[in-house]
């Protein structure tokens, strides 16, 4: 049974695990992305060394924040992680460990995971949208990611909506900032939803504003791509029970009925593990 080291490199944590080729986890953990006085590359190498002590692995599979050149395995730009932009991870890790390595953008990996063992399995086309600090996107047609000419296809957060960027008016961070300002105190996303469920008018209204803005962005994407399924991921989507009907209400106001009725709106199945699962599938597809 082949085993693979899979890493999901984000701005706050590097999640990692050893997986079988079917996507089963044999081990799992996470480290802070930035350790004091340690370059991120050293951190990544230490994680791989630790995994290799316990498992005979066939490949290194990486999901990474930022704009990624997946053919070269190079990080083109990742502004949230110091000293990371320009790093050729594939070259560095293959030289160090003499094992094949593949690198893909983290949101693309979420989309790949959902196509592999999630809500987009057996579909002809899908768009995966992750909502968190920012907004990311992955477009898959006929089981192939649309990367674009310079590997920046799916950078949905930069879309302009209501004289602003999509990522500034339809994200968890934008919701938290607005509610914190209105309540004159710092408040978490989890608390905002708990208060809304208890009838807090400010939280209810601001969540509704965020969902309307999100619906505008989704509507534009549906009109351009006409996907079979739109998958919503990111931490906030764990509030599916509260969000689902409210979001769909806004979508019905913004998308032509005949088109919306033929577009499935789903919530990501794999959640926190999807980056690693998608990185695994990306590797397998290339080897």
């Amino acid at each position: 049974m082949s085993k693979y080291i899979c890493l999901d490199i984000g701005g706050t944590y590097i999640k990692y695990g050893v997986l079988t080729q079917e996507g089963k986890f044999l081990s799992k953990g996470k480290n802070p992305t930035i350790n004091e006085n340690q370059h991120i590359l050293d951190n990544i190498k230490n994680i791989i060394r630790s995994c290799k002590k316990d498992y005979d692995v066939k490949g290194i599979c990486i999901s990474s924040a930022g704009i990624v050149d997946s053919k070269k395995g190079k990080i083109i730009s990742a502004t949230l992680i110091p000293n990371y932009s320009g790093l050729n991870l594939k070259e560095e890790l293959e030289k160090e460990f003499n094992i094949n390595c593949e690198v893909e953008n983290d949101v693309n990996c979420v989309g790949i995971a959902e196509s592999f063992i999630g809500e987009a399995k057996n579909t002809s086309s899908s768009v995966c949208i992750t909502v968190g600090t920012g907004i990311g996107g992955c477009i898959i047609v006929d089981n192939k990611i649309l990367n674009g000419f310079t590997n920046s296809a799916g950078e949905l957060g930069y879309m302009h909506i209501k004289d602003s960027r999509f990522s500034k008016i339809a994200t968890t961070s934008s919701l938290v900032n607005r509610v914190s300002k209105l309540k004159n105190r710092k408040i978490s996303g989890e608390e905002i939803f708990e208060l809304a469920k208890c009838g807090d008018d400010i939280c209810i209204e601001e969540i509704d504003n965020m969902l309307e803005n999100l619906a505008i962005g989704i509507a534009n994407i549906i009109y351009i791509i006409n996907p079979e399924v739109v998958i919503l991921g990111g931490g906030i989507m764990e509030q599916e029970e509260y969000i689902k009907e409210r979001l769909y209400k806004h979508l019905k106001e913004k998308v032509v009925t005949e088109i919306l009725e033929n577009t499935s709106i789903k919530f990501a199945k794999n959640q926190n593990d999807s980056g690693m699962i998608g990185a695994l599938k990306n590797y397998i597809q290339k080897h």
Side-chain angles (χ1 to χ4, degrees):
M1 179 174 61
S2 298
K3 304 176 186 69
Y4 302 84
I5 297 173
C6 300
L7 297 93
D8 184 6
I9 301 168
T12 305
Y13 288 104
I14 299 175
K15 290 176 280 188
Y16 61 91
V18 176
L19 283 73
T20 68
Q21 62 190 34
E22 292 80 21
K24 179 183 177 182
F25 280 84
L26 301 177
S27 69
K28 189 189 296 186
K30 70 176 182 179
N31 285 355
T33 302
I34 305 300
N35 290 330
E36 190 174 358
N37 299 322
Q38 185 181 51
H39 192 280
I40 184 171
L41 181 60
D42 295 325
N43 193 2
I44 293 166
K45 288 179 178 179
N46 286 340
I47 290 170
I48 294 170
R49 288 189 192 101
S50 176
C51 292
K52 277 175 58 62
K53 287 179 182 177
D54 297 320
Y55 298 94
D56 180 22
V57 296
K58 188 175 180 179
I60 300 169
C61 320
I62 294 181
S63 159
S64 176
I67 299 174
V68 176
D69 183 332
S70 58
K71 290 182 180 178
K72 294 181 180 178
K74 183 177 181 179
I75 310 303
I76 298 171
S77 175
T79 55
L80 294 177
I81 305 175
N83 304 312
Y84 194 45
S85 296
L87 182 62
N88 193 318
L89 269 182
K90 178 179 171 69
E91 182 181 281
E92 291 283 351
L93 297 178
E94 288 183 344
K95 182 172 65 176
E96 177 78 16
F97 297 104
N98 196 30
I99 302 173
N100 287 327
C101 172
E102 298 296 342
V103 186
E104 182 55 271
N105 166 267
D106 54 354
V107 183
N108 284 350
C109 284
V110 174
I112 293 169
E114 291 300 315
S115 294
F116 179 29
I117 53 172
E119 297 293 353
K121 188 175 181 179
N122 299 322
T123 61
S124 61
S125 60
S126 63
V127 175
C128 182
I129 304 170
T130 57
V131 182
T133 305
I135 289 180
C138 170
I139 303 163
I140 296 179
V141 179
D142 295 331
N143 293 314
K144 293 182 180 179
I145 293 175
L146 177 64
N147 286 310
F149 180 56
T150 60
N151 296 287
S152 61
E155 292 291 332
L156 306 179
Y158 292 104
M159 289 196 307
H160 281 262
I161 294 173
K162 291 185 176 179
D163 294 323
S164 184
R165 282 184 178 175
F166 194 24
S167 61
K168 290 187 176 180
I169 61 172
T171 54
T172 310
S173 55
S174 65
L175 173 65
V176 167
N177 289 338
R178 287 197 303 271
V179 175
S180 295
K181 187 174 181 180
L182 289 168
K183 288 189 172 291
N184 198 30
R185 69 179 179 89
K186 287 187 176 181
I187 189 168
S188 68
E190 291 85 355
E191 187 180 355
I192 290 169
F193 276 93
E194 289 306 313
L195 288 171
K197 292 170 189 175
C198 293
D200 185 291
D201 290 336
I202 290 175
C203 293
I204 291 170
E205 182 177 354
E206 290 304 321
I207 290 172
D208 192 61
N209 288 338
M210 184 205 72
L211 293 177
E212 181 181 13
N213 293 332
L214 184 59
I216 293 171
I218 294 172
N220 291 338
I221 294 161
I222 288 173
Y223 284 129
I224 295 168
I225 307 296
N226 186 214
E228 185 175 345
V229 59
V230 174
I231 299 167
L232 303 173
I236 196 171
M237 295 308 162
E238 293 178 4
Q239 299 288 343
E240 177 182 352
E241 186 176 342
Y242 187 92
I243 287 173
K244 189 172 184 178
E245 290 303 318
R246 291 169 173 82
L247 176 61
Y248 204 78
K249 172 180 173 289
H250 288 297
L251 285 170
K252 285 194 288 187
E253 296 169 354
K254 302 178 192 311
V255 182
V256 173
T257 301
E258 291 77 11
I259 296 177
L260 185 60
E261 286 178 348
N262 287 289
T263 308
S264 296
I265 309 296
K266 302 282 189 179
F267 287 71
K269 178 180 178 180
N270 297 293
Q271 294 297 343
N272 286 332
D273 292 334
S274 55
M276 288 181 282
I277 293 170
L280 169 68
K281 183 61 174 177
N282 175 62
Y283 180 99
I284 292 171
Q285 286 174 334
K286 292 184 176 180
H287 294 271

